[in-house]
Amino acid sequence: MRLSWVQVLTVLSICLSAVATATGAEGKRKLQIGVKKRVDHCPIKSRKGDVLHMHYTGKLEDGTEFDSSLPQNQPFVFSLGTGQVIKGWDQGLLGMCEGEKRKLVIPPELGYGDRGAPPKIPGGATLVFEVELLKIERRAEL
């Protein structure tokens, strides 16, 4: 089977377009958010300023686990949207319900960047987190 140059260039163009879409306009990959478990009753959703109680497991793309709250059964507690966690978490955990589970695939730009977090997280690493929101503490508005 012989392909014409037009066919080859068309296929190449489609492939490059797909890569450009997956990486975003600036060449940076985007945060991927997958809902693993939805909840039926969701009276409040997480928003900036909420204190979240989370269980999580963090892995590198190759499946190597680098951290988890599960072995100690000790939830991680932090304030959302205040820079206490990596940007991928501040963005990827917005709008969550208590009891919901998500999978976050976080590109280096929204994780630890080119420097990484040695020794467990190398520079330029894409991070994969399985997270579960256990509790939302909402501060009373003034």
Side-chain angles (χ1 to χ4, degrees):
M1 179 173 134
R2 295 191 69 184
L3 296 176
S4 72
W5 279 108
V6 172
Q7 290 171 315
V8 170
L9 291 175
T10 301
V11 170
L12 185 59
S13 164
I14 291 169
C15 290
L16 290 174
S17 174
V19 168
T21 301
T23 58
E26 318 81 50
K28 294 180 180 178
R29 293 193 321 164
K30 294 182 179 183
L31 172 66
Q32 297 175 45
I33 303 169
V35 178
K36 304 285 281 182
K37 178 188 168 198
R38 297 187 190 280
V39 294
D40 294 328
H41 182 65
C42 183
I44 62 170
K45 292 186 176 192
S46 61
R47 67 182 185 203
K48 184 176 178 180
D50 287 344
V51 174
L52 304 186
H53 296 243
M54 308 286 306
H55 267 316
Y56 70 92
T57 298
K59 296 180 180 181
L60 301 176
E61 275 185 306
D62 69 3
T64 303
E65 185 176 307
F66 59 82
D67 197 12
S68 179
S69 65
L70 295 173
Q72 297 83 15
N73 197 28
Q74 188 70 28
F76 178 61
V77 180
F78 67 98
S79 180
L80 184 64
T82 61
Q84 292 181 5
V85 293
I86 59 175
K87 290 178 183 178
W89 271 41
D90 270 343
Q91 295 174 20
L93 303 179
L94 288 169
M96 268 187 98
C97 302
E98 290 180 346
E100 184 178 331
K101 293 182 181 183
R102 289 185 180 177
K103 179 179 180 180
L104 305 177
V105 180
I106 302 174
E109 298 82 19
L110 299 177
Y112 295 101
D114 291 335
R115 293 178 37 214
K120 293 188 175 186
I121 302 173
T126 294
L127 309 175
V128 180
F129 283 95
E130 299 272 348
V131 296
E132 178 181 13
L133 178 53
L134 303 171
K135 180 179 175 184
I136 298 172
E137 288 181 50
R138 177 145 302 156
R139 302 293 185 221
E141 296 190 33
L142 301 174

